[in-house]
Amino acid sequence: MPQEHYIAIMSEPIEVPTMAGLMAKGESPEILFWVGCAGSFDDRARKITKAIVRILHKAGLSYAVLGTEEMCSGDPAKRAGNEFLFQMQAMQNIQVMNGYNVKKIVTGCPHCFNTIKNEYPELGGSYEVVHHTQLINDLLRSGKIRVAGGSFKGKKITFHDPCYLGRGNDEYEAPREVLQKLDAGLVEMKRCRAKGLCCGAGGAQMFKEAEKGNKEVNIERTEDALEVKPDIIATGCPFCNTMMTDGIKNFGKEKETEVFDVAELIAQAGEL
Amino acid sequence: MDYLSQIIFGVVFLAALSFFIYNVRRIRNNIRLGKNINRSDHKKERWRVMFRVALGQSKMKARPLAGFLHLIVYVGFLVVNIELLEIVVDGLSGSERSLGHWLMRWNLGPVYDFLIATFEIFALLVLVACVLFLLRRNVAKIRRFHLSEMTRWPKSDANLILIFEIVLMAAFLLMDAADYSLYANSNGADAPGMYPVSALLHPLFAGSDVFTLQTISHVCWWIHIVGIFVFLNYIPFSKHFHIILAFPNTFFSNLWPKGRFTNMENVKKEVELMFDPNADPYATPAPAEEGTEPGSFGAKDVTDLTWKQLLDAYTCTECGRCSSECPANLTGKLLSPRKIMMDTRDRLEEVGRNKRKNGANHDDGKSLLHHHITKEELWACTSCNACTQACPVNIDPLSIIVDLRRYLVMEESQAPPELTVMFNNIENNGAPWAFPQADRFKWAEDD
């Protein structure tokens, strides 16, 4: 019997359902929560994962995760030019997801989001894929979750557009609409939306040293952010989160400016 | 005009057209060296993109000043070239302002007044805009005009184009001014046209006699029209070819979300075979279809790219908006998306020349990858799509970067060592890091 999977929601622990577990009970959830590698293994990103789970739970959605059956979507392999490895990953994931008759997927990673949404269909995996900021926006609009917003009053938040959510898939407004519910001041960096500057992690850069240059990309981007003197830099991507957090540390501004995922802010504001 | 000048005009006109058509065909043949890709779907959407992006210049306004000046030159170019019609008719028939006289005969003099006045105003605006562009390029320190790929020729090319346009517009205005002075001197009430800019220039010619004015008018007429013919034939050798290719290039744009990369068909076949439980692992591969080459994975040279990627290369006008938004370029890395396009075009020209000289199968032992574009450039890309977003004519440097990376990785095993580690991790434990698959759900245990 594998260990059961609970995370704490306020004081009450909540079980995180798996596709396999639900199938054993003859149930099939409406939404698959695709956690992604960063969300599964990276200490910082795990907190984002939990925030998303709290939101899904609070909204009373029928969801499940793949647990140990999930594998890398193949995004970093594909961007690095290893199409074989990408398609191998994709085919395995598609077999698993089609086996569970998955229809709709939400994910906290714009790279997984883009890959599964745009590149899996040709390989036999067609699903409705949404980014977690899009789902959260829908949940807020329909009143399935509510935020108090009080704790963020007077705070200055700036949103860093993940490339694969923004330019990659033309979604600029959902995360901003969500942030506006926080009752905080939303300020834009000089480079934002379609002109937003990359954090430096995409295209498999996360897994290698940067080429020789005169600056790291995340430093350049952190400067953009610090220019507007935010209390919080909000992101929608675990890799952007790492890069911006490192950038803030580099400038020794951890006390003034914190980096959070949109999901974490909503989980905090909703007291989830 | 006598018959001699008519004959000279006719010969120059035909020669200019023929040489232009010859060079356009040369470029078309080069583009056809690319691999096939289907971009004829969703015709309605394609027309819409072309009207919006090329004709409507929707992406130029991202930089308001340059965008506005460009709009003036673009509209001016289209408008003033209507006058070409009259010039060609005059040149061939030996008449003067044939359109004007013809319109007056039908009591449509005001139409000609309006046309000439519009031409004159636009000619002046274009001239001013081009002078400002020259100053921007050569005096103002704008980073994208001075990146390392902007060597002598690309810089001269840009300046030449602007000087050409200034000379053409100046000749046009001087011709009009001389004509206007002639009409004014002879109190010619029946003179065709309205000349708002020439009227301002009139004092310049106050003391000139009829002969001088006629000479100025004729000389400027010839400078203007021969200049246009020379310019027309300069364009296929210049970055300025974008004035034509911007239209087909936006029509054949990638209509998918920018984040989507293509799934390679030849890889798909192999992977499907691996996943097919009924496939015989010891079977001899099916014989290749007639006429198909054993394809390689990814692109090593321009002939491995698609015709759309090659069309992109010829469409590029080296404005550098891509590179000025590229995170790698902004932080001092070697990568410049504009250089990727310039290299692709230059290499394609080289390959085309080789094939014409030495036969279709000639191999000069060089390739786009390594000889023009280095690994260091390719590995600096974050695939963020800032370049494709910035391009005013929907060029896609990222797809070329990825195709070259594919060749590096799948044919030459030349990924940086850290990426090879990442590949191995994904292959062995389903994640880019060395964590066991069994630990994937541990995030939900530790609370």
Side-chain angles (χ1 to χ4, degrees):
Chain A
M1 186 68 194
Q3 189 181 345
E4 287 184 343
H5 297 84
Y6 291 97
I7 66 165
I9 175 164
M10 295 296 282
S11 50
E12 151 214 13
I14 51 169
E15 189 187 349
V16 182
T18 60
M19 298 297 286
L22 290 186
M23 193 179 224
K25 288 193 262 177
E27 293 170 31
S28 88
E30 277 164 35
I31 303 177
L32 167 67
F33 171 31
W34 179 275
V35 181
C37 298
S40 300
F41 293 116
D42 182 90
D43 282 339
R44 177 69 188 81
R46 280 176 164 188
K47 292 183 184 161
I48 305 170
T49 305
K50 285 176 195 170
I52 297 174
V53 165
R54 288 183 188 115
I55 292 167
L56 294 172
H57 181 83
K58 181 78 178 182
L61 293 180
S62 146
Y63 78 99
V65 298
L66 281 170
T68 54
E69 287 186 281
E70 189 186 279
M71 283 182 135
C72 172
S73 68
D75 161 83
K78 190 176 182 85
R79 313 296 138 185
N82 196 336
E83 181 73 7
F84 264 107
L85 184 53
F86 161 70
Q87 290 201 13
M88 294 287 289
Q89 291 303 116
M91 295 291 257
Q92 294 178 67
N93 284 322
I94 289 168
Q95 277 192 347
V96 170
M97 290 194 287
N98 287 355
Y100 287 121
N101 200 16
V102 169
K103 295 272 183 288
K104 183 174 179 178
I105 299 171
V106 62
T107 176
C109 174
H111 295 265
C112 299
F113 162 72
N114 173 68
T115 302
I116 300 174
K117 177 173 173 281
N118 295 320
E119 292 160 0
Y120 276 24
E122 270 183 7
L123 303 172
S126 295
Y127 320 101
E128 183 196 345
V129 190
V130 294
H131 186 249
H132 69 296
T133 58
Q134 296 173 320
L135 181 74
I136 293 171
N137 195 28
D138 288 345
L139 293 174
L140 285 167
R141 277 179 167 186
S142 61
K144 285 193 177 148
I145 52 169
R146 278 171 217 285
V147 290
S151 57
F152 292 98
K153 203 165 180 119
K155 292 257 168 85
K156 223 198 254 183
I157 304 181
T158 190
F159 181 68
H160 163 78
D161 288 278
C163 303
Y164 277 87
L165 182 65
R167 278 187 297 271
N169 288 285
D170 291 310
E171 180 58 86
Y172 303 104
E173 298 313 320
R176 287 181 170 80
E177 259 186 72
V178 171
L179 291 172
Q180 263 148 11
K181 302 267 175 17
L182 291 176
D183 223 5
L186 190 58
V187 286
E188 294 291 352
M189 295 181 233
K190 64 178 181 206
R191 291 185 271 213
C192 63
R193 291 193 169 86
K195 286 184 81 111
L197 184 74
C198 176
C199 72
Q205 297 293 341
M206 185 70 193
F207 307 100
K208 62 184 267 297
E209 286 299 313
E211 269 46 50
K212 202 163 73 55
N214 51 33
K215 205 182 207 177
E216 294 292 338
V217 176
N218 69 325
I219 300 301
E220 176 89 6
R221 186 51 170 167
T222 306
E223 284 174 355
D224 282 2
L226 289 176
E227 231 171 62
V228 297
K229 297 197 168 51
D231 299 297
I232 293 165
I233 299 172
T235 66
C237 170
F239 299 108
C240 297
N241 195 307
T242 303
M243 296 308 251
M244 298 309 282
T245 305
D246 287 352
I248 292 295
K249 275 188 201 142
N250 186 277
F251 287 101
K253 294 275 184 191
E254 301 100 308
K255 287 214 180 72
E256 293 90 332
T257 302
E258 288 182 286
V259 183
F260 284 113
D261 192 274
V262 172
E264 293 177 296
L265 297 174
I266 293 302
Q268 279 177 43
E271 295 180 345
L272 305 179
Chain B
M1 282 190 203
D2 48 34
Y3 284 116
L4 184 65
S5 64
Q6 278 169 256
I7 291 166
I8 293 174
F9 180 84
V11 170
V12 172
F13 179 56
L14 272 180
L17 265 187
S18 319
F19 193 57
F20 177 71
I21 290 167
Y22 169 82
N23 279 305
V24 169
R25 290 172 63 115
R26 172 179 64 82
I27 289 173
R28 192 190 61 179
N29 288 339
N30 281 354
I31 290 171
R32 282 184 173 173
L33 292 173
K35 298 246 175 294
N36 197 26
I37 180 178
N38 180 21
R39 286 285 166 90
S40 53
D41 52 342
H42 299 95
K43 288 249 164 50
K44 241 184 176 168
E45 172 70 6
R46 294 191 176 284
W47 283 110
R48 252 202 302 273
V49 172
M50 192 188 85
F51 275 106
R52 197 176 59 234
V53 179
L55 201 70
Q57 310 215 342
S58 59
K59 290 174 93 178
M60 287 298 289
K61 61 178 185 280
R63 299 188 185 207
L65 177 66
F68 179 67
L69 291 176
H70 183 270
L71 187 70
I72 288 178
V73 177
Y74 163 72
V75 177
F77 173 84
L78 292 178
V79 168
V80 177
N81 273 341
I82 299 174
E83 168 69 4
L84 259 185
L85 217 75
E86 183 178 41
I87 291 178
V88 170
V89 172
D90 284 352
L92 290 174
S93 67
S95 54
E96 259 178 63
R97 298 204 179 261
S98 48
L99 181 67
H101 288 294
W102 183 77
L103 283 169
M104 282 171 84
R105 207 174 310 138
W106 294 90
N107 283 327
L108 290 171
V111 174
Y112 194 71
D113 289 351
F114 171 77
L115 282 174
I116 293 295
T118 313
F119 298 159
E120 286 216 335
I121 288 165
F122 269 107
L124 182 66
L125 287 173
V126 170
L127 199 150
V128 171
C130 287
V131 170
L132 291 176
F133 273 143
L134 268 179
L135 291 173
R136 270 170 66 78
R137 279 203 173 255
N138 299 289
V139 181
K141 296 268 173 283
I142 297 170
R143 184 177 169 271
R144 64 189 161 111
F145 295 140
H146 304 281
L147 296 177
S148 63
E149 68 271 20
M150 294 309 281
T151 50
R152 239 174 77 184
W153 164 245
K155 278 188 175 168
S156 316
D157 187 17
N159 286 332
L160 262 172
I161 293 162
L162 292 169
I163 291 166
F164 249 119
E165 295 190 12
I166 290 170
V167 169
L168 291 179
M169 293 305 120
F172 176 77
L173 286 173
L174 275 176
M175 171 187 83
D176 268 13
D179 282 355
Y180 174 81
S181 297
L182 277 170
Y183 300 141
N185 291 350
S186 62
N187 288 326
D190 59 340
M194 196 172 97
Y195 303 82
V197 179
S198 295
L200 297 174
L201 294 174
H202 180 50
L204 279 180
F205 303 112
S208 308
D209 55 36
V210 172
F211 177 75
T212 315
L213 288 174
Q214 276 177 344
T215 311
I216 292 174
S217 171
H218 281 168
V219 168
C220 286
W221 188 92
W222 278 100
I223 291 177
H224 179 64
I225 190 61
V226 173
I228 284 173
F229 291 153
V230 173
F231 195 42
L232 179 74
N233 281 290
Y234 175 73
I235 289 172
F237 297 94
S238 155
K239 75 190 188 80
H240 208 48
F241 206 48
H242 82 291
I243 61 172
I244 294 167
L245 291 188
F247 296 89
N249 203 60
T250 47
F251 181 84
F252 294 121
S253 291
N254 172 29
L255 299 180
W256 293 97
K258 286 191 173 64
R260 176 189 181 269
F261 286 14
T262 53
N263 288 315
M264 291 173 68
E265 272 306 315
N266 48 359
V267 170
K268 198 176 153 195
K269 270 187 215 142
E270 309 258 339
V271 173
E272 272 169 353
L273 203 64
M274 283 192 257
F275 275 77
D276 181 2
N278 300 318
D280 175 5
Y282 303 110
T284 43
E289 280 169 53
E290 203 63 38
T292 56
E293 289 172 55
S296 58
F297 297 112
K300 183 187 187 191
D301 210 347
V302 285
T303 46
D304 300 322
L305 297 171
T306 68
W307 61 260
K308 177 56 173 64
Q309 289 168 316
L310 302 183
L311 178 65
D312 275 353
Y314 274 117
T315 306
C316 176
T317 194
E318 301 169 11
C319 71
R321 289 168 186 230
C322 51
S323 298
S324 72
E325 308 263 328
C326 170
N329 192 277
L330 283 170
T331 54
K333 276 84 173 177
L334 216 50
L335 175 64
S336 169
R338 170 173 56 188
K339 179 178 174 291
I340 300 288
M341 302 320 299
M342 292 166 70
D343 285 344
T344 303
R345 181 200 58 208
D346 293 348
R347 173 61 187 159
L348 180 55
E349 283 276 295
E350 189 175 60
V351 168
R353 240 184 344 260
N354 276 334
K355 284 188 190 294
R356 276 193 304 280
K357 267 192 200 153
N358 308 312
N361 294 320
H362 178 77
D363 180 8
D364 62 356
K366 291 188 196 156
S367 58
L368 178 64
L369 180 62
H370 302 310
H371 291 98
H372 291 258
I373 299 172
T374 60
K375 283 189 289 184
E376 189 180 337
E377 292 164 70
L378 296 173
W379 289 121
C381 174
T382 67
S383 75
C384 74
N385 264 308
C387 54
T388 58
Q389 178 74 39
C391 182
V393 287
N394 288 356
I395 291 170
D396 183 359
L398 176 54
S399 71
I400 297 180
I401 293 172
V402 171
D403 281 343
L404 295 174
R405 275 188 180 183
R406 284 168 168 171
Y407 192 89
L408 275 178
V409 170
M410 290 189 284
E411 294 282 347
E412 296 185 336
S413 301
Q414 290 220 50
E418 308 112 292
L419 289 189
T420 307
V421 171
M422 181 265 283
F423 294 153
N424 288 337
N425 286 333
I426 293 179
E427 219 171 320
N428 296 330
N429 44 275
W433 300 289
F435 295 112
Q437 175 88 28
D439 288 356
R440 196 175 255 275
F441 202 17
K442 282 221 163 135
W443 59 267
E445 284 173 12
D446 52 8
D447 262 45

